[in-house]
Amino acid sequence: MKSIIPPELLPTQDPLSFFENIYSVSQQAIAASEGQINYFYQIAESKICLSFAGNALVSAITPALAHLVIPAVNNPDLTIVLWDSKTTQTPMPPPIWQREHLQKRGEISSLSNERICTYFQWGANALSVLDLERNLGIYWVNKPEELPYWETGSPLKNIFQQWFSQQNQQIIHAGAVGLPTGGVLMVGKGGMGKSTTALTCLKSDLFYLSDDYTLVSVDSLPHAYSLYSSGKKKPNDIERLPWLKPLIHNSNHLDQEKALYFLAEHFSERLINDFPLKAILIPRVTNQINSNLEPTSAIAALTALVPSTIKQLPGTGKEACDRMTQLTQKLPSYYLNLGTDLAQIPQVIHNLLR
């Protein structure tokens, strides 16, 4: 979406100068904190370092990534510096943009170019800046306790989306379950049953790769990679999976938030980091008892996948649409008609994969 602000009224600071300024302040925050704390992860083939200024943000950012932890490496492919102003007592320079300068998904186009990507999330009050040439990102929030549940459940996705796109990989709004030999994507807008399907598979022979966001590669044979080991469920629907109820992370806030689960601690043996993709499923709720699959077209899968991905992930444009088109053309697609007997759902998927 193009900005409606006349060019002469947009911020005029050079994107690289803006990045350098914010990076300099982040180093001051590290110096003012109790020390630099590094966590290392492997996502797909890439090794990533999260470098925290103190530990204030650690508990908010790392649980969803816990299943991807690796030992320290000397030359990570991507480094992200994370800091907050409250605990480091290091204020962020006054913003040179206003709300009307932002595009709908949070992009600040005047502070972005082919090298620098800048985003601000009003709901999380989080600034994300990425230097693609140096493979260096910055993530800032004012107060750690102000981060909403959806940000802790899927942290850093703006930076990840842009960086992995440069690796010719794509984050999509989809869940994924399967076997080491192959799995399925579940696509569609919120409320269609993706989360219920993915979480139900935790009590089956299938493995859980993702709930909301999945990293995919379509270079040759389509492949899916895990980003987050979190899961979400609408509060009015949590009773359908009562065995998960004791594991709700934010049980005191269900009047305003979805139920959030961090699964690595409780289901590590049922999580999987990647698998080749065999099919795309479009869940849809029925009033029937039994679940079944119904073949459909690549167009139906593309229609279910693209709008929600573009809406939720800034930086998705023509390249992202091209990758998603390739994905739907290379894989068979089915409607997954979800019956009320939840135990049948994993078996229907398992039968397809066999």
Side-chain angles (χ1 to χ4, degrees):
M1 178 179 292
K2 299 293 185 183
S3 173
I4 61 174
I5 304 300
E8 63 271 16
L9 298 182
L10 287 170
T12 57
Q13 186 173 359
D14 173 70
L16 181 57
S17 298
F18 175 77
F19 181 93
E20 296 288 3
N21 184 30
I22 301 303
Y23 181 70
S24 176
V25 178
S26 75
Q27 299 308 293
Q28 297 173 27
I30 290 174
S33 71
E34 64 268 33
Q36 191 170 8
I37 303 173
N38 294 330
Y39 284 75
F40 295 86
Y41 303 90
Q42 178 155 344
I43 302 176
E45 296 85 12
S46 301
K47 294 177 173 59
I48 296 170
C49 174
L50 302 188
S51 186
F52 293 87
N55 61 15
L57 281 172
V58 170
S59 61
I61 300 297
T62 60
L65 299 163
H67 62 307
L68 301 173
V69 168
I70 59 172
V73 297
N74 291 327
N75 297 297
D77 300 296
L78 170 66
T79 298
I80 305 174
V81 179
L82 303 94
W83 63 286
D84 73 281
S85 288
K86 179 182 177 181
T87 65
T88 65
Q89 299 183 356
T90 306
M92 170 67 75
I96 60 172
W97 68 86
Q98 299 297 325
R99 181 182 294 268
E100 59 268 22
H101 293 145
L102 298 182
Q103 296 185 22
K104 188 173 183 180
R105 298 174 300 181
E107 301 100 322
I108 307 177
S109 57
S110 58
L111 293 175
S112 302
N113 55 26
E114 291 183 356
R115 175 176 174 176
I116 304 297
C117 309
T118 306
Y119 310 98
F120 187 80
Q121 298 167 264
W122 287 104
N125 291 321
L127 177 70
S128 300
V129 195
L130 174 64
D131 183 342
L132 289 167
E133 186 172 302
R134 284 186 287 180
N135 296 311
L136 179 62
I138 304 169
Y139 181 83
W140 168 87
V141 298
N142 186 32
K143 300 176 181 178
E145 64 269 20
E146 292 180 350
L147 278 178
Y149 78 97
W150 44 263
E151 183 70 0
T152 59
S154 309
L156 305 171
K157 62 180 178 292
N158 289 351
I159 292 176
F160 286 157
Q161 154 61 24
Q162 196 64 51
W163 191 80
F164 279 109
S165 180
Q166 298 301 302
Q167 319 309 312
N168 201 26
Q169 296 170 317
Q170 183 63 47
I171 298 177
I172 58 175
H173 179 226
V177 296
L179 301 167
T181 52
V184 298
L185 283 174
M186 297 168 291
V187 304
K189 63 182 181 180
M192 301 299 290
K194 297 191 303 297
S195 295
T196 297
T197 300
L199 291 169
T200 298
C201 290
L202 288 169
K203 294 192 73 175
S204 76
D205 292 333
L206 298 177
F207 292 89
Y208 179 104
L209 187 138
S210 60
D211 170 22
D212 242 0
Y213 300 103
T214 305
L215 180 67
V216 297
S217 173
V218 294
D219 276 344
S220 53
L221 297 177
H223 208 92
Y225 301 93
S226 179
L227 277 171
Y228 309 117
S229 56
S230 54
K232 304 185 193 75
K233 203 85 173 67
K234 290 184 177 180
N236 61 1
D237 202 35
I238 59 177
E239 296 299 338
R240 297 183 71 200
L241 300 175
W243 47 276
L244 279 176
K245 195 171 181 180
L247 309 182
I248 296 175
H249 176 73
N250 55 337
S251 56
N252 294 331
H253 302 281
L254 297 184
D255 56 330
Q256 302 175 36
E257 304 174 353
K258 288 185 178 181
L260 175 63
Y261 312 93
F262 291 120
L263 302 173
E265 180 181 353
H266 307 284
F267 296 97
S268 60
E269 74 286 354
R270 302 313 312 158
L271 304 183
I272 191 169
N273 290 350
D274 72 284
F275 47 53
L277 285 168
K278 302 298 185 182
I280 298 174
L281 308 184
I282 308 171
R284 54 184 184 183
V285 177
T286 72
N287 293 321
Q288 306 301 312
I289 296 175
N290 299 323
S291 297
N292 61 75
L293 292 172
E294 180 182 332
T296 187
S297 66
I299 292 297
L302 193 65
T303 302
L305 173 60
V306 170
S308 61
T309 295
I310 289 178
K311 180 180 179 181
Q312 296 197 30
L313 292 166
T316 48
K318 182 180 182 304
E319 285 187 354
C321 290
D322 289 345
R323 293 186 188 111
M324 288 185 278
T325 299
Q326 291 180 53
L327 185 68
T328 58
Q329 290 175 343
K330 291 182 176 182
L331 296 172
S333 298
Y334 302 85
Y335 287 113
L336 172 58
N337 298 314
L338 300 173
T340 56
D341 180 5
L342 299 186
Q344 288 189 24
I345 296 174
Q347 191 59 53
V348 168
I349 298 173
H350 198 279
N351 291 343
L352 172 67
L353 293 175
R354 286 193 301 183

